[in-house]
Amino acid sequence: MAVQISPSILAADFARLADEAAAVPNADWLHVDVMDYHFVPNLTLGLPVVEALCKATATPLDCHLMIEDPDRWAPQYAEAGAGSVTIHAEAAKAPIRTLREIRSLGARAGLALNPATAVEPYEDLLGEIDMLLLMTVEPGFGGQKFLDVVLPKVRRARALIERHGGRIWLQVDGGVDAETIGRCAEAGADVFVAGSAVYGASDPVAAIDRLRAAATR
Ligand code: DX5
Ligand code: ZN
């Protein structure tokens, strides 16, 4: 279970995205939060920015779609060149079809669950995904406080994943910092999104190294 760090550009300077991507050469992924003012009460960026960012960086994009109707839009993010496309279970009406489409377009398919959404009903979908994302804050904004109440679900998700061969990555997103990342790793997460803990730091490269070390410990 290799630790991976996916800095969230939600905490970066949107006017200088290419530079902000270049500022984290030791990141495994760049986490791109797509918000539509409907699924969450915030609006960020969409396909044109993802297309431009794909061309501007060699780091693969980890697109987290917090949007209504991901069935309609998610495949286009895979087509645009995202390495991973994650849809929310609460928003998808045809998740199996959409996850299969994402994969057929060459991207990794992710399924995200809000803090209060149980993981057990999705056990039969594990064969359709490459990553399970468990939100550790209510989605919509960066800089929120980590929700420890999600940790038992991280543990149960890890057990489910192991029962299904251990191939699926388990990502946590929200409030992940040098203090909380150890608890997430101990509970079984292996891919860590961090926005303010990376881009809010004076030295983002050192911040990623610190997070990686804390997660590996
Ligand atoms: C929240 C987003 C997160 C956010 C995390 O809805 O999905 O990716 O950027 O930001 P921090 O790490 O600051 O909690
Ligand atoms: Zn996110």
Side-chain angles (χ1 to χ4, degrees):
M1 217 167 70
V3 165
Q4 298 185 74
I5 309 290
S6 187
S8 169
I9 57 160
L10 186 60
D13 180 351
F14 273 16
R16 302 171 39 251
L17 283 183
D19 295 342
E20 294 284 62
V24 289
N26 54 341
D28 298 284
W29 295 83
L30 265 191
H31 186 82
V32 180
D33 289 305
V34 177
M35 306 185 186
D36 68 349
Y37 259 154
H38 292 272
F39 182 68
V40 289
N42 197 4
L43 180 70
T44 53
L45 50 84
L47 257 184
V49 174
V50 167
E51 280 166 359
L53 199 52
C54 274
K55 293 186 192 124
T57 177
T59 308
L61 301 191
D62 163 30
C63 290
H64 174 198
L65 306 186
M66 284 160 278
I67 59 173
E68 278 185 359
D69 209 359
D71 304 304
R72 176 171 175 193
W73 302 109
Q76 295 182 48
Y77 287 84
E79 261 161 4
S84 175
V85 181
T86 297
I87 60 169
H88 265 266
E90 300 86 356
K93 294 194 179 69
I96 296 172
R97 185 180 67 215
T98 303
L99 292 163
R100 288 184 180 179
E101 237 173 289
I102 292 169
R103 278 178 155 183
S104 75
L105 291 163
R108 296 177 59 89
L111 185 69
L113 304 180
N114 282 341
T117 303
V119 66
E120 286 76 11
Y122 297 98
E123 178 170 2
D124 290 343
L125 261 58
L126 291 182
E128 307 291 338
I129 66 174
D130 301 298
M131 183 168 78
L132 180 66
L133 161 51
L134 298 182
M135 291 302 302
T136 42
V137 298
E138 297 290 0
F141 300 93
Q144 301 183 72
K145 193 180 172 317
F146 181 81
L147 293 174
D148 278 279
V149 69
V150 180
L151 285 174
K153 181 167 67 176
V154 177
R155 264 178 243 287
R156 296 199 303 276
R158 170 49 62 191
L160 284 178
I161 286 171
E162 291 309 313
R163 216 180 299 148
H164 286 259
R167 169 191 63 79
I168 298 166
W169 296 350
L170 183 54
Q171 184 178 67
V172 285
D173 180 10
V176 175
D177 61 20
E179 192 256 322
T180 58
I181 196 167
R183 304 209 280 286
C184 297
E186 192 272 321
D190 55 1
V191 186
F192 305 89
V193 177
S196 20
V198 171
Y199 283 109
S202 53
D203 182 348
V205 169
I208 290 174
D209 286 343
R210 266 198 307 275
L211 288 170
R212 205 185 291 280
T216 308
R217 215 179 294 129

